[in-house]
Amino acid sequence: MKYRSLVVALSLTAIVGIASGARSAPDSEVRPGGDELAGLREDRAALDRSLRPAVSDSALDELSVGRYWHAAMMMRAEGAADGAPTGVLTLARAEAGWDNWPAVLALLDGADWLRDLEDARGLYLLGRALEHAERWEEAVERYVAYGAYVGMDTPSGVPAVARGARAAWHAGLTAQALNLLVQLRPVPAVRSWTAAELALWAAEQGD
């Protein structure tokens, strides 16, 4: 009798377990795990950033008339620093306008879209920020990349080449500095000023 009762109890337990598993199986199949949830959140955040307007017309108006600090403050209040790349780059331009190079560095360092917007203007701004931080070799890389993109002898490329020569000299990359000076041959005035500045710096260092 006890044996029969035990068998019945075990059978009922098994049936209940199977039924519970059948009911819970669909939930376990459709419920995303922790990694999947994190991925979904990241995708949603990226979509929200892509749909968010880059910057307001009011902030652009401030930028256009040279009120860079106020424009930057407005853009940050609008969330541009965490928004789409166009907004981040516009904010970086505003920060650069009042020489806030640490902010420019924080906005652009590591961005993978700098060549894709505004004729790669972000490369030049990042070069300036890296130069300000005395990260000379990295600055040279950005200046050279920007000059190659827009043309070394173009109105936009010439300042990048000149600054690249200066940064290369500071980095101890003498051969590259001299090579960049050669690239300035079509603009002898800029080439002479840059060479004179490097010579003065070398004299101050006792070289």
Side-chain angles (χ1 to χ4, degrees):
M1 186 68 179
K2 291 181 179 179
Y3 176 75
R4 185 184 302 172
S5 298
L6 178 61
V7 170
V8 171
L10 290 173
S11 299
L12 290 173
T13 302
I15 292 170
V16 172
I18 292 171
S20 299
R23 287 195 300 270
S24 62
D27 292 339
S28 63
E29 290 175 2
V30 300
R31 185 179 296 120
D35 292 342
E36 292 172 326
L37 283 173
L40 290 172
R41 292 190 188 101
E42 291 176 2
D43 291 343
R44 176 59 185 270
L47 178 61
D48 290 344
R49 288 194 298 270
S50 67
L51 295 176
R52 185 187 303 162
V55 293
S56 66
D57 290 340
S58 298
L60 290 176
D61 288 343
E62 292 295 284
L63 182 63
S64 67
V65 297
R67 289 195 281 265
Y68 301 113
W69 179 85
H70 192 217
M73 295 304 102
M74 292 178 66
M75 291 179 206
R76 287 193 178 277
E78 294 165 2
D82 300 314
T86 51
V88 176
L89 181 58
T90 306
L91 174 57
R93 287 171 47 206
E95 298 287 12
W98 67 288
D99 291 333
N100 190 8
W101 296 112
V104 176
L105 185 59
L107 289 165
L108 301 184
D109 197 13
D112 58 4
W113 41 260
L114 297 180
R115 287 179 172 82
D116 302 331
L117 299 175
E118 297 188 18
D119 293 327
R121 182 69 177 175
L123 285 173
Y124 179 77
L125 292 177
L126 180 54
R128 291 288 307 271
L130 290 165
E131 181 183 352
H132 185 272
E134 297 186 358
R135 290 164 56 178
W136 304 114
E137 291 190 35
E138 294 173 83
V140 174
E141 291 176 8
R142 299 327 188 275
Y143 285 138
V144 170
Y146 179 71
Y149 187 92
V150 300
M152 297 286 193
D153 57 351
T154 63
S156 298
V158 168
V161 175
R163 287 188 171 276
R166 288 174 44 187
W169 192 269
H170 282 288
L173 305 174
T174 306
Q176 188 171 12
L178 295 176
N179 180 62
L180 289 170
L181 283 176
V182 172
Q183 301 293 327
L184 291 172
R185 187 174 295 166
V187 278
V190 177
R191 183 188 182 193
S192 299
W193 293 336
T194 306
E197 184 177 359
L198 298 184
L200 178 61
W201 183 80
E204 291 174 348
Q205 300 300 310
D207 294 340

